Amino acid sequence: MMKKILQIKNAPILFHRKVSSCARHISLSLPAIAGTAEPGQFLHLRISSGSPSPLLRRPFSINDVQGDRVSILYEVKGAGTKLLSKMLPGETLDVIGPLGMGFDIDPQKREHLLVAGGMGLAPMGLLARSLKGMKLKPELLYGCRSSAELVKPGITGCQISSEDGSCGKKGLVTSLLLDRLRICRDPAVYACGPWPMLKAVAGICHKNNIPCQVSLESFMACGVGACQGCVVKNSDGNYVSVCDKGPVFNSRQIDWDQDCVI
Amino acid sequence: MMKKILQIKNAPILFHRKVSSCARHISLSLPAIAGTAEPGQFLHLRISSGSPSPLLRRPFSINDVQGDRVSILYEVKGAGTKLLSKMLPGETLDVIGPLGMGFDIDPQKREHLLVAGGMGLAPMGLLARSLKGMKLKPELLYGCRSSAELVKPGITGCQISSEDGSCGKKGLVTSLLLDRLRICRDPAVYACGPWPMLKAVAGICHKNNIPCQVSLESFMACGVGACQGCVVKNSDGNYVSVCDKGPVFNSRQIDWDQDCVI
Amino acid sequence: MKKVKTIDLRVSIAGLELKNPVIAASGTFGYGAEYSGLAEPGDFGAIITKTVTLEPRPGNRPPRICETSCGMLNSIGLANVGFAVFREDKLPALIKKNTVIIANIAGNTIEEYVELAARLNKISDIPALELNISCPNVKLGGIAFGTDPASAAALTKAVRRAYKKTLIVKLSPNVSDIAGIARAVESSGADALSLINTLYGMAVDIKKQRPVLGNITGGLSGPAIKPVALYNLYKVHHSVKIPLIGLGGIMDHRDALEFMITGAAAVQIGTANFVNPSAVKDILSGLAGYCRENDITRIKNLTGILKC
Amino acid sequence: MKKVKTIDLRVSIAGLELKNPVIAASGTFGYGAEYSGLAEPGDFGAIITKTVTLEPRPGNRPPRICETSCGMLNSIGLANVGFAVFREDKLPALIKKNTVIIANIAGNTIEEYVELAARLNKISDIPALELNISCPNVKLGGIAFGTDPASAAALTKAVRRAYKKTLIVKLSPNVSDIAGIARAVESSGADALSLINTLYGMAVDIKKQRPVLGNITGGLSGPAIKPVALYNLYKVHHSVKIPLIGLGGIMDHRDALEFMITGAAAVQIGTANFVNPSAVKDILSGLAGYCRENDITRIKNLTGILKC
Ligand SMILES: Cc1cc2nc3c(=O)[nH]c(=O)nc-3n(C[C@H](O)[C@H](O)[C@H](O)COP(=O)(O)OP(=O)(O)OC[C@H]3O[C@@H](n4cnc5c(N)ncnc54)[C@H](O)[C@@H]3O)c2cc1C
Ligand SMILES: Cc1cc2nc3c(=O)[nH]c(=O)nc-3n(C[C@H](O)[C@H](O)[C@H](O)COP(=O)(O)OP(=O)(O)OC[C@H]3O[C@@H](n4cnc5c(N)ncnc54)[C@H](O)[C@@H]3O)c2cc1C
Ligand SMILES: Cc1cc2nc3c(=O)[nH]c(=O)nc-3n(C[C@H](O)[C@H](O)[C@H](O)COP(=O)(O)O)c2cc1C
Ligand SMILES: Cc1cc2nc3c(=O)[nH]c(=O)nc-3n(C[C@H](O)[C@H](O)[C@H](O)COP(=O)(O)O)c2cc1C
Ligand code: FES
Ligand code: FES
């Protein structure tokens, strides 16, 4: 299927709210994108049209799609997300999307484990929705640092862990995963989060011979595979661009020994 | 007297409103500056602290001082003023001021003619206030392009001209001046506006041997006389910095044959 | 209602006829297909393909890009599929698009450049060549061909002999005297010059106390470099007679106009494609609007009208 | 409560002891008095005064400055009061301030530089000299001293003979090989290097179809040039042994850290003084905070810790 990528120069912000101490949820009216977006794909946002700074677009996973609305979940990291956090409903954003290759769902699998670390929760909303649409049951394993940083996932069937024990099980999300795998029959794992977490999740899955897909991050310029700026090394030792060959990869395709590129 | 220049990093915006099709009025809480500001002096505003663009400060004449409040009147010209126009009450600006040499008031003069073209109205508010404080009577001659661009001057004793005749007398403000001068006994002229207007006003005053002060514009970096970036040529053929030797000059000090530097 | 005048946007660069003066810069528009849906090769007067080398190159280790104030650094490292794949896999699709294709080439030795030029000379669908001379000359101990007038001249002469169509040389700004290089290249047979390539730059991650880029240093592009690009264009415009293609930080039609007024017969857009894939369309309509307002019927008449 | 550790901010540049590593760049802090109330000469580790020449210079015709994306162009043209007025009118007030004064000088000929250096050698309140070698060498037909290793070396040697205190040479980035210039200057007796001066740049007013600057071209400074400055610093750091003072686009302590980590013993701030006169204070407290977080007690230990 030919991907249909669009630039929408004036996507109106419908709502924008704080959903944890560090995360915000922003919903955009994007009828043309809502129809085709798949879980794991992302939007490339130009945060300050008309100003040369910040210059490049910023990539954000599609968090969810409801009717004509596409939402993202994000954390303020630097200049771009800080500016974004000040935008008000009614203002517009210049959006390119949907971009990248999303998660592949194998309907034959019995358990569908969505493993999210921190802002890695972002793509899980639409993934859960898609699984449910296929009559499959998503199970979210979601790790955060503390209850303050916990974002209400809005997904039924969710286990939580926190590094400081302030909510859910104390520890890392990998320990939730290990617990859960012990009683799984034929699971598939979908993971998103920081590189060290993904590396650990991939390691667990490889050892247990479980199919695992990971959503990676990288600095991006074009977002469409033209500039070769966003590459990571794959297990063959070749560089692959995250924006168009990913951001979701089969975890076996990735060279987990490389330095994290972010 | 030693000028006392301050940097106020967080001057709160008290109100901000549109006062004509192109002009806005913004009022800042600036107790430390309000006390010493003189008519014709200016503020140097950093419009987007934390972002490298726009980089340099932007100079704006002090429009008026009321209690702790200092206001400016401005027009959206480019990136900086566009950003400024989006700022809301409660947000803060990084301000340096009061800067420059303002208008000199000679209390011996009988008539005090304030000649403003377009945004040249800006410094006239405080100048009128100061004149009244000295029991002198300011008379404002104010030219604009059309009634849409007319800013209510809030100064009693005001004559208006417009280029298209949509308000006041049709024509340029210089024709108001010529009319008025015909019946003046011992006038002083204070002018602010675009270079061609100032040049015309200066020409009229020189011919009639009337003391005339003009407030000039120039691109500025430091605003304090350190960089020598804002110079204009004076009548001796030397370069003088507008930010600290001006912005108000005796019109005889200026070489009116140079190209306008803006 | 005022009748909207049509503006003649065509330009000619040393005989190469372009339907409009906005060209996609090498390395920023891939091989033309990547932006499908966002921008089409046919929108541009010409497409300059990513620098191709004889053999495929993996490119530098990541991170390869990083944002700086009003600019970006890249250390892609001429990652490319190599000439064979370029010709077999990439070219056929691009040829079908309604645009002029300019191939950008690089090599480590003069021989490599000449070999590529000779092969391209035979590809009738590619009417022009852009020489990327910012590469280190391995035989000369790694000094870039583009920083030394003699090397630049020798390279241009050798390629000129092998290449009969329009030969464009792309100049690097990282030199003491770009006008000297330009003259050397002109007198060695170049038909036109593109300027500028990226400025050398670097950024440091103060948390990791390491360079941000995997390759330590990279090339700076984007609005930050526009003043430098204009300066170089101005200098070269007064030093050579062959046509100039200006680039470096062009984001909108106002930027494009600065270059054309200063002396560019056409412009390239690079980083702008990443930021706003419809930049090419926006720039073209902005250029036409400016021409209308200024009573200019042919855009080529803008070139070099700067009053000093 | 954690005890707040005091950080030793002192640095030493070839024997010149500074109380802190933040220096005011030449031409951006006037003669120290202009910012009264906003920033004090005593806030800085040292003040480098505006380039002074033997005779007063009126400078270039206006407009002299213009903003560009994340940068500014200036064509002040070394406007200055001349050495006599500098010495009699400007210096006395500055000497009373609690800071180190470094005089920056320029000339059209080696003789002019030497004359100035000899006069400064006798002024005990000025312990160091910064040579602005970006000026055109009139005897060499206008080629800047700073763009040719041989001229730069000859100039440095001549000044070195006349000047016995700390001799700093300020390098221009507008060259093919800054490391070559740096080595030439080092082996000619320079004690330290400052880098970088501004990049050549230009801007065009598309309405007037004229250059924005009265002088047509100017020098680019500010955040836009930071990556270029860091690159040059990195190159020179690996080429010479004498201490380096880094500058170019430093706006805050994070920028300053990038330079120190890359190899600068101290930094200068130029354009930042215009934008935020309290930049010096903000940078110093930011540097101290970084040192505390990273368990560094002496700021000088930051210099050159870059891991590659
Ligand atoms: C495919 C993809 C999907 C993403 N989805 C989300 C999401 O759903 N929610 C979310 O909060 N974040 C997401 N990110 C990360 C997000 O893009 C960055 O946090 C954002 O670009 C930072 O911009 P900034 O201007 O605020 O920070 P900057 O000032 O640019 O940088 C601050 C820090 O953010 C990180 N960063 C910068 N650029 C990127 C980038 N392109 N990718 C990743 N990290 C970066 C770096 O660590 C940097 O040091 C995603 C990234 C990718 C590649
Ligand atoms: C002493 C002084 C007092 C001023 N008082 C006022 C005032 O009270 N109200 C008001 O509306 N404007 C005033 N100005 C002009 C105001 O500073 C500029 O309009 C503003 O800086 C434009 O910024 P920008 O980013 O919007 O435009 P830019 O994008 O920077 O430039 C747009 C255009 O604005 C003009 N401009 C830019 N910078 C300056 C500058 N420093 N001075 C003058 N013109 C400039 C130029 O023509 C330029 O082409 C004053 C200028 C000076 C020097
Ligand atoms: C990601 C990236 C890759 C590039 N690759 C090439 C290349 O392969 N060959 C080349 O000649 N120039 C290359 N360039 C340089 C651009 O063609 C252009 O000269 C430069 O970016 C300045 O223009 P800009 O500011 O419009 O981007 C590249 C630039 C970028 C940003
Ligand atoms: C307005 C202005 C005037 C300058 N004058 C001088 C000068 O007289 N002598 C000199 O060596 N450098 C001069 N410079 C260059 C600065 O000292 C500094 O090298 C340059 O601006 C880069 O640093 P920055 O980006 O921090 O400004 C000047 C810079 C500016 C912006
Ligand atoms: S961001 Fe350009 S190839 Fe991925
Ligand atoms: S703006 Fe610096 S001297 Fe006037």
Side-chain angles (χ1 to χ4, degrees):
Chain A
M1 194 197 68
M2 187 64 190
K3 292 188 296 176
K4 204 183 152 211
I5 302 172
L6 299 170
Q7 176 178 9
I8 311 292
K9 286 199 175 180
N10 289 297
I13 298 177
L14 298 172
F15 67 77
H16 191 174
R17 52 180 162 235
K18 229 176 145 168
V19 290
S20 82
S21 67
C22 62
R24 279 158 210 271
H25 193 204
I26 194 166
S27 170
L28 299 164
S29 173
L30 282 170
I33 288 176
T36 61
E38 290 173 15
Q41 287 192 302
F42 67 94
L43 301 180
H44 215 20
L45 302 187
R46 186 171 182 194
I47 290 171
S48 78
S49 300
S51 160
S53 176
L55 180 64
L56 297 175
R57 288 173 182 268
R58 300 289 193 261
F60 297 94
S61 298
I62 293 172
N63 173 244
D64 206 355
V65 175
Q66 285 181 282
D68 283 353
R69 302 174 168 203
V70 179
S71 67
I72 63 168
L73 196 65
Y74 71 97
E75 182 180 7
V76 173
K77 280 264 193 113
T81 45
K82 191 165 173 194
L83 256 177
L84 183 60
S85 73
K86 292 193 180 146
M87 294 193 73
L88 300 171
E91 293 189 273
T92 62
L93 281 168
D94 179 341
V95 180
I96 293 179
L99 292 175
M101 306 297 284
F103 291 103
D104 249 346
I105 299 176
D106 177 354
Q108 306 305 324
K109 291 287 165 191
R110 284 182 75 118
E111 290 97 359
H112 297 273
L113 307 183
L114 282 50
V115 185
M119 291 309 304
L121 181 67
M124 300 309 177
L126 184 58
L127 178 56
R129 186 180 292 279
S130 299
L131 284 162
K132 282 185 208 151
M134 297 167 78
K135 308 277 178 245
L136 303 168
K137 190 171 142 262
E139 291 177 60
L140 176 66
L141 311 178
Y142 168 33
C144 57
R145 260 189 293 255
S146 70
S147 62
E149 296 193 2
L150 178 87
V151 178
K152 233 185 110 240
I155 297 173
T156 48
C158 165
Q159 291 186 54
I160 288 168
S161 70
S162 62
E163 289 178 33
D164 68 354
S166 57
C167 58
K169 185 176 166 182
K170 180 169 171 149
L172 299 174
V173 72
T174 40
S175 88
L176 292 181
L177 176 63
L178 284 170
D179 289 351
R180 185 65 191 84
L181 287 180
R182 240 170 259 133
I183 47 171
C184 272
R185 306 252 289 274
D186 182 23
V189 167
Y190 312 81
C192 184
W195 177 267
M197 173 204 124
L198 295 179
K199 187 171 170 173
V201 170
I204 292 169
C205 292
H206 297 175
K207 214 150 102 190
N208 295 283
N209 221 352
I210 293 165
C212 171
Q213 296 172 59
V214 293
S215 175
L216 297 185
E217 291 196 5
S218 181
F219 297 112
M220 290 181 179
C222 70
V224 297
C227 74
Q228 296 304 304
C230 64
V231 300
V232 294
K233 202 185 267 182
N234 69 12
S235 39
D236 302 335
N238 296 321
Y239 291 123
V240 287
S241 42
V242 172
C243 66
D244 67 328
K245 301 291 184 294
V248 177
F249 292 93
N250 179 321
S251 65
R252 293 198 177 270
Q253 282 176 269
I254 301 301
D255 170 5
W256 291 103
D257 291 329
Q258 69 194 299
D259 286 349
C260 168
V261 297
I262 294 279
Chain B
M1 193 197 67
M2 185 71 187
K3 291 189 295 175
K4 202 182 152 211
I5 302 172
L6 299 170
Q7 177 178 8
I8 311 292
K9 286 198 174 181
N10 290 296
I13 298 178
L14 298 172
F15 67 76
H16 191 173
R17 55 183 162 232
K18 227 174 144 168
V19 290
S20 82
S21 67
C22 62
R24 279 159 210 271
H25 193 204
I26 195 165
S27 170
L28 299 164
S29 171
L30 281 170
I33 288 176
T36 62
E38 290 173 16
Q41 286 192 301
F42 66 95
L43 302 180
H44 215 19
L45 302 187
R46 186 171 181 195
I47 290 170
S48 78
S49 300
S51 159
S53 175
L55 181 64
L56 296 174
R57 288 174 181 266
R58 301 289 193 262
F60 297 95
S61 298
I62 293 171
N63 173 243
D64 206 354
V65 174
Q66 285 180 281
D68 283 352
R69 305 173 165 204
V70 180
S71 66
I72 62 168
L73 195 65
Y74 73 96
E75 181 179 9
V76 173
K77 278 265 192 113
T81 45
K82 193 167 172 189
L83 256 176
L84 183 61
S85 72
K86 291 190 180 148
M87 294 193 74
L88 300 172
E91 294 189 272
T92 63
L93 281 168
D94 178 341
V95 179
I96 292 179
L99 293 174
M101 305 298 284
F103 291 102
D104 250 345
I105 299 176
D106 178 354
Q108 307 305 322
K109 290 288 163 188
R110 284 183 76 117
E111 290 98 359
H112 298 272
L113 307 182
L114 283 49
V115 184
M119 290 310 305
L121 180 65
M124 300 308 178
L126 185 58
L127 178 57
R129 186 180 294 278
S130 300
L131 284 162
K132 282 184 210 153
M134 297 168 76
K135 310 277 176 240
L136 302 169
K137 189 169 143 265
E139 291 176 59
L140 176 66
L141 310 179
Y142 169 33
C144 57
R145 260 188 294 256
S146 70
S147 63
E149 296 192 4
L150 178 85
V151 178
K152 232 184 112 241
I155 297 172
T156 48
C158 164
Q159 291 186 56
I160 288 167
S161 70
S162 61
E163 288 179 33
D164 67 355
S166 56
C167 57
K169 185 177 169 181
K170 182 171 170 144
L172 299 174
V173 72
T174 39
S175 91
L176 292 181
L177 176 64
L178 283 169
D179 288 354
R180 184 67 190 85
L181 286 180
R182 239 168 262 133
I183 45 172
C184 273
R185 306 253 289 276
D186 182 22
V189 167
Y190 313 81
C192 184
W195 177 267
M197 173 205 125
L198 295 179
K199 185 170 171 171
V201 169
I204 291 167
C205 291
H206 298 177
K207 213 148 105 192
N208 295 282
N209 222 351
I210 293 165
C212 171
Q213 297 171 58
V214 292
S215 175
L216 298 186
E217 292 196 5
S218 182
F219 297 111
M220 288 182 180
C222 70
V224 297
C227 74
Q228 296 304 304
C230 64
V231 300
V232 294
K233 200 184 269 182
N234 69 11
S235 40
D236 302 335
N238 296 322
Y239 291 124
V240 286
S241 42
V242 172
C243 66
D244 67 329
K245 301 290 184 296
V248 177
F249 292 93
N250 179 323
S251 66
R252 292 197 178 272
Q253 281 177 270
I254 301 300
D255 170 6
W256 292 102
D257 291 330
Q258 69 196 300
D259 286 349
C260 168
V261 296
I262 296 277
Chain C
M1 224 186 80
K2 255 218 294 228
K3 215 181 112 202
V4 177
K5 244 192 322 195
T6 342
I7 306 299
D8 182 353
L9 291 176
R10 291 171 306 168
V11 297
S12 158
I13 295 162
L16 188 71
E17 307 291 336
L18 308 186
K19 66 182 172 197
N20 73 55
V22 181
I23 300 172
S26 179
T28 65
F29 206 71
Y31 300 102
E34 294 84 349
Y35 287 89
S36 172
L38 303 173
E40 298 302 325
D43 298 335
F44 292 91
I47 298 280
I48 304 181
T49 51
K50 171 80 188 161
T51 295
V52 68
T53 50
L54 274 179
E55 300 304 321
R57 287 174 57 119
N60 290 324
R61 56 180 286 210
R64 290 182 174 179
I65 51 181
C66 122
E67 181 158 336
T68 64
S69 293
C70 293
M72 67 176 282
L73 288 168
N74 89 78
S75 59
I76 311 296
L78 300 186
N80 80 93
V81 294
F83 187 78
V85 177
F86 167 71
R87 187 190 181 144
E88 262 103 80
D89 291 7
K90 304 293 181 183
L91 207 51
L94 188 50
I95 285 170
K96 294 195 197 106
K97 310 281 178 175
N98 171 31
T99 193
V100 168
I101 304 170
I102 302 174
N104 176 303
I105 62 167
N108 289 312
T109 58
I110 293 190
E111 294 71 29
E112 284 180 24
Y113 276 100
V114 169
E115 174 62 29
L116 281 163
R119 293 195 197 173
L120 282 162
N121 195 45
K122 287 181 261 163
I123 303 181
S124 61
D125 292 298
I126 301 183
L129 186 56
E130 185 181 67
L131 283 191
N132 180 349
I133 62 170
S134 305
C135 293
N137 181 345
V138 291
K139 292 212 177 150
L140 264 181
I143 297 170
F145 283 104
T147 56
D148 167 43
S151 314
L155 176 60
T156 309
K157 261 196 201 114
V159 170
R160 176 76 290 174
R161 256 178 258 124
Y163 192 76
K164 306 303 166 200
K165 294 177 279 182
T166 306
L167 176 59
I168 305 165
V169 177
K170 183 169 180 180
L171 304 183
S172 161
N174 303 295
V175 299
S176 309
D177 175 25
I178 196 167
I181 310 263
R183 279 188 302 263
V185 164
E186 175 184 47
S187 61
S188 307
D191 295 315
L193 303 173
S194 295
L195 62 167
I196 58 173
N197 211 319
T198 54
L199 287 164
Y200 294 135
M202 176 173 165
V204 173
D205 182 326
I206 59 169
K207 277 194 198 134
K208 301 184 186 158
Q209 300 172 338
R210 269 165 51 170
V212 175
L213 297 176
N215 189 51
I216 305 176
T217 65
L220 184 65
S221 64
I225 72 168
K226 191 183 71 171
V228 177
L230 280 167
Y231 170 85
N232 282 297
L233 180 67
Y234 175 79
K235 282 283 153 189
V236 171
H237 182 61
H238 286 88
S239 307
V240 300
K241 295 209 166 57
I242 51 179
L244 305 179
I245 306 173
L247 76 154
I250 298 177
M251 303 304 281
D252 59 26
H253 76 277
R254 286 180 294 269
D255 297 332
L257 282 164
E258 290 192 65
F259 284 81
M260 294 196 70
I261 291 169
T262 302
V267 295
Q268 294 180 27
I269 56 176
T271 303
N273 292 310
F274 308 150
V275 175
N276 178 25
S278 54
V280 52
K281 279 171 269 179
D282 298 348
I283 290 172
L284 286 170
S285 72
L287 289 177
Y290 180 91
C291 287
R292 253 173 239 122
E293 280 162 30
N294 289 273
D295 270 320
I296 292 163
T297 37
R298 296 186 184 155
I299 201 159
K300 65 176 187 195
N301 292 339
L302 274 173
T303 298
I305 59 173
L306 188 76
K307 303 163 207 147
C308 281
Chain D
M1 225 187 80
K2 260 219 302 234
K3 214 181 111 200
V4 176
K5 245 191 327 197
T6 341
I7 306 299
D8 182 354
L9 291 176
R10 290 172 305 167
V11 297
S12 157
I13 295 162
L16 188 69
E17 308 289 338
L18 308 187
K19 65 182 174 197
N20 73 55
V22 181
I23 301 173
S26 178
T28 65
F29 206 74
Y31 300 103
E34 292 85 347
Y35 287 89
S36 170
L38 303 173
E40 297 304 326
D43 297 335
F44 291 90
I47 298 280
I48 304 181
T49 50
K50 171 82 189 161
T51 295
V52 67
T53 48
L54 273 179
E55 299 304 320
R57 288 173 57 118
N60 290 323
R61 57 181 284 210
R64 289 181 175 180
I65 51 180
C66 121
E67 181 159 336
T68 64
S69 292
C70 293
M72 66 175 284
L73 288 168
N74 89 77
S75 59
I76 311 296
L78 300 186
N80 80 92
V81 294
F83 188 79
V85 178
F86 167 71
R87 185 190 182 143
E88 261 103 82
D89 290 5
K90 304 292 179 183
L91 208 49
L94 188 50
I95 285 171
K96 294 195 198 108
K97 310 281 176 176
N98 171 29
T99 193
V100 169
I101 304 169
I102 301 174
N104 177 303
I105 62 167
N108 289 313
T109 58
I110 292 190
E111 294 71 31
E112 284 180 24
Y113 275 100
V114 169
E115 174 62 30
L116 282 162
R119 293 195 198 172
L120 282 162
N121 195 45
K122 286 180 261 165
I123 304 182
S124 61
D125 292 299
I126 301 182
L129 187 56
E130 185 180 68
L131 283 191
N132 180 350
I133 60 171
S134 306
C135 292
N137 180 343
V138 292
K139 291 212 175 148
L140 263 180
I143 297 171
F145 283 104
T147 56
D148 167 42
S151 315
L155 176 60
T156 308
K157 261 197 202 114
V159 171
R160 176 75 289 176
R161 254 178 260 127
Y163 192 74
K164 307 301 167 201
K165 295 177 279 182
T166 306
L167 176 59
I168 305 165
V169 178
K170 182 169 181 181
L171 304 183
S172 161
N174 304 295
V175 299
S176 310
D177 175 26
I178 195 166
I181 310 263
R183 280 188 302 265
V185 165
E186 175 185 47
S187 61
S188 305
D191 295 314
L193 303 174
S194 295
L195 64 164
I196 58 175
N197 212 319
T198 53
L199 286 164
Y200 294 135
M202 176 174 166
V204 173
D205 183 325
I206 60 170
K207 277 196 199 132
K208 300 184 186 158
Q209 300 171 339
R210 269 166 50 170
V212 175
L213 297 177
N215 189 50
I216 304 176
T217 66
L220 183 65
S221 64
I225 72 168
K226 192 184 69 171
V228 177
L230 280 167
Y231 170 86
N232 282 297
L233 179 66
Y234 175 79
K235 283 281 153 192
V236 170
H237 182 62
H238 285 87
S239 307
V240 299
K241 296 207 168 55
I242 50 179
L244 306 179
I245 305 172
L247 76 153
I250 298 177
M251 303 303 282
D252 59 26
H253 76 277
R254 287 179 295 270
D255 298 332
L257 282 164
E258 290 192 63
F259 284 80
M260 295 196 70
I261 290 169
T262 302
V267 296
Q268 293 180 27
I269 56 175
T271 304
N273 292 311
F274 306 151
V275 174
N276 178 26
S278 53
V280 52
K281 279 171 270 179
D282 297 349
I283 289 172
L284 286 170
S285 72
L287 289 177
Y290 180 89
C291 287
R292 252 174 240 123
E293 281 162 30
N294 290 273
D295 270 322
I296 293 163
T297 37
R298 295 187 185 155
I299 201 158
K300 65 177 185 195
N301 293 339
L302 274 173
T303 299
I305 59 173
L306 188 75
K307 302 163 210 148
C308 281

